[in-house]
mmCIF file of all heavy atoms in Angstrom:
data_model
loop_
_atom_site.group_PDB
_atom_site.id
_atom_site.type_symbol
_atom_site.label_atom_id
_atom_site.label_comp_id
_atom_site.label_asym_id
_atom_site.label_seq_id
_atom_site.Cartn_x
_atom_site.Cartn_y
_atom_site.Cartn_z
ATOM 1 N N GLY E 1 101.161 103.309 119.079
ATOM 2 C CA GLY E 1 101.672 102.140 118.363
ATOM 3 C C GLY E 1 100.881 100.875 118.593
ATOM 4 O O GLY E 1 101.436 99.770 118.502
ATOM 5 N N CYS E 2 99.590 101.011 118.871
ATOM 6 C CA CYS E 2 98.776 99.830 119.190
ATOM 7 C C CYS E 2 97.866 99.400 118.040
ATOM 8 O O CYS E 2 96.961 98.586 118.249
ATOM 9 C CB CYS E 2 97.914 100.107 120.425
ATOM 10 S SG CYS E 2 98.843 100.219 121.967
ATOM 11 N N GLU E 3 98.109 99.908 116.840
ATOM 12 C CA GLU E 3 97.167 99.605 115.762
ATOM 13 C C GLU E 3 97.081 98.103 115.444
ATOM 14 O O GLU E 3 96.011 97.577 115.143
ATOM 15 C CB GLU E 3 97.518 100.396 114.493
ATOM 16 C CG GLU E 3 98.917 100.174 113.936
ATOM 17 C CD GLU E 3 99.943 101.164 114.477
ATOM 18 O OE1 GLU E 3 99.785 101.612 115.640
ATOM 19 O OE2 GLU E 3 100.890 101.471 113.732
ATOM 20 N N PHE E 4 98.202 97.403 115.548
ATOM 21 C CA PHE E 4 98.169 95.970 115.236
ATOM 22 C C PHE E 4 97.742 95.150 116.461
ATOM 23 O O PHE E 4 97.115 94.100 116.324
ATOM 24 C CB PHE E 4 99.528 95.517 114.708
ATOM 25 C CG PHE E 4 99.914 96.236 113.447
ATOM 26 C CD1 PHE E 4 100.980 97.126 113.447
ATOM 27 C CD2 PHE E 4 99.195 96.069 112.279
ATOM 28 C CE1 PHE E 4 101.334 97.812 112.297
ATOM 29 C CE2 PHE E 4 99.519 96.754 111.122
ATOM 30 C CZ PHE E 4 100.595 97.629 111.128
ATOM 31 N N ALA E 5 98.047 95.653 117.635
ATOM 32 C CA ALA E 5 97.527 95.023 118.842
ATOM 33 C C ALA E 5 96.001 95.097 118.854
ATOM 34 O O ALA E 5 95.329 94.141 119.269
ATOM 35 C CB ALA E 5 98.102 95.710 120.083
ATOM 36 N N ASP E 6 95.469 96.232 118.391
ATOM 37 C CA ASP E 6 94.013 96.372 118.312
ATOM 38 C C ASP E 6 93.408 95.328 117.382
ATOM 39 O O ASP E 6 92.350 94.764 117.671
ATOM 40 C CB ASP E 6 93.642 97.768 117.813
ATOM 41 C CG ASP E 6 93.776 98.837 118.891
ATOM 42 O OD1 ASP E 6 94.189 98.493 120.019
ATOM 43 O OD2 ASP E 6 93.482 100.009 118.588
ATOM 44 N N VAL E 7 94.069 95.089 116.262
ATOM 45 C CA VAL E 7 93.572 94.075 115.321
ATOM 46 C C VAL E 7 93.477 92.724 116.011
ATOM 47 O O VAL E 7 92.460 92.019 115.919
ATOM 48 C CB VAL E 7 94.494 93.979 114.087
ATOM 49 C CG1 VAL E 7 94.113 92.766 113.219
ATOM 50 C CG2 VAL E 7 94.416 95.256 113.261
ATOM 51 N N ALA E 8 94.547 92.349 116.721
ATOM 52 C CA ALA E 8 94.572 91.038 117.388
ATOM 53 C C ALA E 8 93.480 90.928 118.431
ATOM 54 O O ALA E 8 92.766 89.919 118.510
ATOM 55 C CB ALA E 8 95.948 90.817 118.017
ATOM 56 N N GLU E 9 93.328 91.966 119.268
ATOM 57 C CA GLU E 9 92.337 91.875 120.338
ATOM 58 C C GLU E 9 90.920 91.886 119.789
ATOM 59 O O GLU E 9 90.044 91.152 120.277
ATOM 60 C CB GLU E 9 92.533 92.995 121.357
ATOM 61 C CG GLU E 9 91.626 92.834 122.565
ATOM 62 C CD GLU E 9 92.032 93.698 123.746
ATOM 63 O OE1 GLU E 9 93.149 94.255 123.737
ATOM 64 O OE2 GLU E 9 91.223 93.812 124.685
ATOM 65 N N LYS E 10 90.663 92.699 118.774
ATOM 66 C CA LYS E 10 89.323 92.718 118.173
ATOM 67 C C LYS E 10 88.965 91.358 117.592
ATOM 68 O O LYS E 10 87.833 90.888 117.741
ATOM 69 C CB LYS E 10 89.256 93.792 117.080
ATOM 70 C CG LYS E 10 89.174 95.216 117.590
ATOM 71 C CD LYS E 10 89.151 96.201 116.428
ATOM 72 C CE LYS E 10 89.114 97.634 116.889
ATOM 73 N NZ LYS E 10 89.151 98.581 115.735
ATOM 74 N N LEU E 11 89.921 90.737 116.926
ATOM 75 C CA LEU E 11 89.663 89.415 116.347
ATOM 76 C C LEU E 11 89.380 88.389 117.434
ATOM 77 O O LEU E 11 88.480 87.544 117.295
ATOM 78 C CB LEU E 11 90.846 88.966 115.487
ATOM 79 C CG LEU E 11 90.984 89.643 114.136
ATOM 80 C CD1 LEU E 11 92.318 89.262 113.478
ATOM 81 C CD2 LEU E 11 89.820 89.263 113.214
ATOM 82 N N ALA E 12 90.148 88.448 118.524
ATOM 83 C CA ALA E 12 89.908 87.514 119.631
ATOM 84 C C ALA E 12 88.500 87.702 120.195
ATOM 85 O O ALA E 12 87.780 86.723 120.449
ATOM 86 C CB ALA E 12 90.956 87.715 120.723
ATOM 87 N N ILE E 13 88.089 88.950 120.378
ATOM 88 C CA ILE E 13 86.752 89.238 120.919
ATOM 89 C C ILE E 13 85.667 88.748 119.963
ATOM 90 O O ILE E 13 84.729 88.042 120.365
ATOM 91 C CB ILE E 13 86.594 90.747 121.180
ATOM 92 C CG1 ILE E 13 87.497 91.186 122.330
ATOM 93 C CG2 ILE E 13 85.137 91.104 121.471
ATOM 94 C CD1 ILE E 13 87.624 92.696 122.473
ATOM 95 N N GLU E 14 85.792 89.105 118.693
ATOM 96 C CA GLU E 14 84.761 88.746 117.713
ATOM 97 C C GLU E 14 84.636 87.231 117.567
ATOM 98 O O GLU E 14 83.520 86.692 117.474
ATOM 99 C CB GLU E 14 85.096 89.383 116.354
ATOM 100 C CG GLU E 14 84.954 90.893 116.346
ATOM 101 C CD GLU E 14 85.629 91.538 115.138
ATOM 102 O OE1 GLU E 14 86.151 90.778 114.280
ATOM 103 O OE2 GLU E 14 85.625 92.775 115.045
ATOM 104 N N ARG E 15 85.764 86.542 117.560
ATOM 105 C CA ARG E 15 85.726 85.085 117.395
ATOM 106 C C ARG E 15 85.151 84.402 118.624
ATOM 107 O O ARG E 15 84.400 83.426 118.503
ATOM 108 C CB ARG E 15 87.126 84.568 117.073
ATOM 109 C CG ARG E 15 87.605 84.990 115.695
ATOM 110 C CD ARG E 15 89.082 84.706 115.478
ATOM 111 N NE ARG E 15 89.511 85.158 114.155
ATOM 112 C CZ ARG E 15 90.772 85.128 113.728
ATOM 113 N NH1 ARG E 15 91.729 84.662 114.524
ATOM 114 N NH2 ARG E 15 91.072 85.552 112.514
ATOM 115 N N ALA E 16 85.476 84.903 119.816
ATOM 116 C CA ALA E 16 84.901 84.330 121.034
ATOM 117 C C ALA E 16 83.395 84.568 121.084
ATOM 118 O O ALA E 16 82.626 83.690 121.503
ATOM 119 C CB ALA E 16 85.579 84.921 122.266
ATOM 120 N N GLN E 17 82.960 85.753 120.650
ATOM 121 C CA GLN E 17 81.524 86.033 120.610
ATOM 122 C C GLN E 17 80.811 85.075 119.664
ATOM 123 O O GLN E 17 79.728 84.561 119.973
ATOM 124 C CB GLN E 17 81.279 87.476 120.171
ATOM 125 C CG GLN E 17 81.609 88.513 121.232
ATOM 126 C CD GLN E 17 81.468 89.934 120.727
ATOM 127 O OE1 GLN E 17 81.930 90.262 119.626
ATOM 128 N NE2 GLN E 17 80.830 90.781 121.526
ATOM 129 N N GLU E 18 81.410 84.824 118.518
ATOM 130 C CA GLU E 18 80.818 83.890 117.560
ATOM 131 C C GLU E 18 80.816 82.469 118.103
ATOM 132 O O GLU E 18 79.843 81.727 117.965
ATOM 133 C CB GLU E 18 81.579 83.945 116.237
ATOM 134 C CG GLU E 18 81.005 83.027 115.168
ATOM 135 C CD GLU E 18 81.759 83.090 113.850
ATOM 136 O OE1 GLU E 18 82.712 83.903 113.741
ATOM 137 O OE2 GLU E 18 81.406 82.316 112.944
ATOM 138 N N LEU E 19 81.902 82.086 118.741
ATOM 139 C CA LEU E 19 82.057 80.724 119.236
ATOM 140 C C LEU E 19 81.043 80.401 120.328
ATOM 141 O O LEU E 19 80.456 79.312 120.338
ATOM 142 C CB LEU E 19 83.482 80.550 119.766
ATOM 143 C CG LEU E 19 83.952 79.147 120.155
ATOM 144 C CD1 LEU E 19 83.921 78.218 118.951
ATOM 145 C CD2 LEU E 19 85.365 79.220 120.738
ATOM 146 N N PHE E 20 80.822 81.358 121.251
ATOM 147 C CA PHE E 20 79.948 81.100 122.397
ATOM 148 C C PHE E 20 78.604 81.819 122.314
ATOM 149 O O PHE E 20 77.784 81.666 123.216
ATOM 150 C CB PHE E 20 80.658 81.516 123.688
ATOM 151 C CG PHE E 20 81.824 80.635 124.047
ATOM 152 C CD1 PHE E 20 83.120 81.024 123.753
ATOM 153 C CD2 PHE E 20 81.619 79.411 124.665
ATOM 154 C CE1 PHE E 20 84.209 80.214 124.080
ATOM 155 C CE2 PHE E 20 82.694 78.593 125.001
ATOM 156 C CZ PHE E 20 83.995 78.994 124.703
ATOM 157 N N LYS E 21 78.400 82.611 121.259
ATOM 158 C CA LYS E 21 77.162 83.390 121.116
ATOM 159 C C LYS E 21 76.964 84.300 122.332
ATOM 160 O O LYS E 21 75.861 84.435 122.884
ATOM 161 C CB LYS E 21 75.954 82.467 120.949
ATOM 162 C CG LYS E 21 76.095 81.456 119.822
ATOM 163 C CD LYS E 21 76.257 82.128 118.468
ATOM 164 C CE LYS E 21 76.313 81.126 117.321
ATOM 165 N NZ LYS E 21 77.562 80.332 117.275
ATOM 166 N N ALA E 22 78.045 84.938 122.737
ATOM 167 C CA ALA E 22 78.035 85.802 123.918
ATOM 168 C C ALA E 22 77.830 87.259 123.521
ATOM 169 O O ALA E 22 78.311 87.703 122.475
ATOM 170 C CB ALA E 22 79.348 85.660 124.678
ATOM 171 N N GLU E 23 77.142 88.012 124.376
ATOM 172 C CA GLU E 23 76.878 89.422 124.094
ATOM 173 C C GLU E 23 78.137 90.270 124.231
ATOM 174 O O GLU E 23 78.392 91.157 123.415
ATOM 175 C CB GLU E 23 75.784 89.949 125.035
ATOM 176 C CG GLU E 23 74.418 89.329 124.779
ATOM 177 C CD GLU E 23 73.355 89.857 125.725
ATOM 178 O OE1 GLU E 23 73.585 90.911 126.382
ATOM 179 O OE2 GLU E 23 72.287 89.215 125.833
ATOM 180 N N HIS E 24 78.920 90.011 125.277
ATOM 181 C CA HIS E 24 80.138 90.795 125.503
ATOM 182 C C HIS E 24 81.255 89.861 125.943
ATOM 183 O O HIS E 24 81.019 88.896 126.688
ATOM 184 C CB HIS E 24 79.920 91.865 126.570
ATOM 185 C CG HIS E 24 81.140 92.698 126.825
ATOM 186 N ND1 HIS E 24 81.564 93.684 125.955
ATOM 187 C CD2 HIS E 24 82.052 92.678 127.839
ATOM 188 C CE1 HIS E 24 82.671 94.236 126.424
ATOM 189 N NE2 HIS E 24 82.991 93.652 127.565
ATOM 190 N N VAL E 25 82.478 90.131 125.482
ATOM 191 C CA VAL E 25 83.630 89.288 125.808
ATOM 192 C C VAL E 25 84.814 90.171 126.171
ATOM 193 O O VAL E 25 85.077 91.178 125.515
ATOM 194 C CB VAL E 25 84.017 88.380 124.618
ATOM 195 C CG1 VAL E 25 85.331 87.650 124.899
ATOM 196 C CG2 VAL E 25 82.918 87.370 124.326
ATOM 197 N N ASN E 26 85.521 89.782 127.220
ATOM 198 C CA ASN E 26 86.799 90.399 127.574
ATOM 199 C C ASN E 26 87.862 89.315 127.508
ATOM 200 O O ASN E 26 87.766 88.298 128.213
ATOM 201 C CB ASN E 26 86.746 91.013 128.973
ATOM 202 C CG ASN E 26 87.976 91.844 129.292
ATOM 203 O OD1 ASN E 26 89.095 91.347 129.259
ATOM 204 N ND2 ASN E 26 87.780 93.118 129.625
ATOM 205 N N VAL E 27 88.883 89.520 126.677
ATOM 206 C CA VAL E 27 89.907 88.488 126.450
ATOM 207 C C VAL E 27 91.218 88.800 127.167
ATOM 208 O O VAL E 27 92.218 88.113 126.957
ATOM 209 C CB VAL E 27 90.186 88.319 124.940
ATOM 210 C CG1 VAL E 27 88.959 87.793 124.222
ATOM 211 C CG2 VAL E 27 90.678 89.627 124.310
ATOM 212 N N GLN E 28 91.223 89.812 128.043
ATOM 213 C CA GLN E 28 92.475 90.239 128.658
ATOM 214 C C GLN E 28 92.915 89.497 129.922
ATOM 215 O O GLN E 28 94.101 89.543 130.264
ATOM 216 C CB GLN E 28 92.424 91.745 128.960
ATOM 217 C CG GLN E 28 92.424 92.611 127.716
ATOM 218 C CD GLN E 28 92.700 94.079 128.018
ATOM 219 O OE1 GLN E 28 93.041 94.437 129.144
ATOM 220 N NE2 GLN E 28 92.561 94.925 127.006
ATOM 221 N N PRO E 29 92.027 88.822 130.675
ATOM 222 C CA PRO E 29 92.503 88.192 131.915
ATOM 223 C C PRO E 29 93.683 87.258 131.679
ATOM 224 O O PRO E 29 93.695 86.461 130.742
ATOM 225 C CB PRO E 29 91.274 87.425 132.410
ATOM 226 C CG PRO E 29 90.120 88.224 131.911
ATOM 227 C CD PRO E 29 90.552 88.696 130.548
ATOM 228 N N HIS E 30 94.686 87.371 132.560
ATOM 229 C CA HIS E 30 95.891 86.553 132.426
ATOM 230 C C HIS E 30 95.654 85.100 132.811
ATOM 231 O O HIS E 30 96.453 84.228 132.460
ATOM 232 C CB HIS E 30 97.007 87.118 133.321
ATOM 233 C CG HIS E 30 97.401 88.520 133.008
ATOM 234 N ND1 HIS E 30 97.233 89.099 131.778
ATOM 235 C CD2 HIS E 30 97.979 89.482 133.797
ATOM 236 C CE1 HIS E 30 97.684 90.341 131.809
ATOM 237 N NE2 HIS E 30 98.134 90.603 133.016
ATOM 238 N N SER E 31 94.589 84.827 133.581
ATOM 239 C CA SER E 31 94.323 83.463 134.029
ATOM 240 C C SER E 31 92.849 83.329 134.361
ATOM 241 O O SER E 31 92.109 84.324 134.422
ATOM 242 C CB SER E 31 95.151 83.131 135.274
ATOM 243 O OG SER E 31 94.676 83.876 136.395
ATOM 244 N N GLY E 32 92.424 82.093 134.615
ATOM 245 C CA GLY E 32 91.052 81.872 135.025
ATOM 246 C C GLY E 32 90.754 82.484 136.376
ATOM 247 O O GLY E 32 89.672 83.031 136.599
ATOM 248 N N SER E 33 91.701 82.382 137.296
ATOM 249 C CA SER E 33 91.492 82.966 138.622
ATOM 250 C C SER E 33 91.333 84.480 138.542
ATOM 251 O O SER E 33 90.526 85.078 139.271
ATOM 252 C CB SER E 33 92.655 82.603 139.553
ATOM 253 O OG SER E 33 92.633 81.234 139.873
#
């Protein structure tokens, strides 16, 4: 049942990559620490 969760996470990754011109992005950390 993660098909829509996948959409959200993929979009977050793709947009962060575009925003920072980064090669790889992980958007899952709960905090900066």
Side-chain angles (χ1 to χ4, degrees):
C2 290
E3 58 268 31
F4 299 112
D6 283 2
V7 171
E9 187 165 347
K10 285 178 182 178
L11 285 171
I13 292 168
E14 291 165 3
R15 291 169 181 175
Q17 286 175 315
E18 181 180 357
L19 189 61
F20 291 99
K21 306 299 184 289
E23 293 180 16
H24 180 75
V25 172
N26 189 302
V27 295
Q28 291 193 8
H30 300 335
S31 69
S33 290

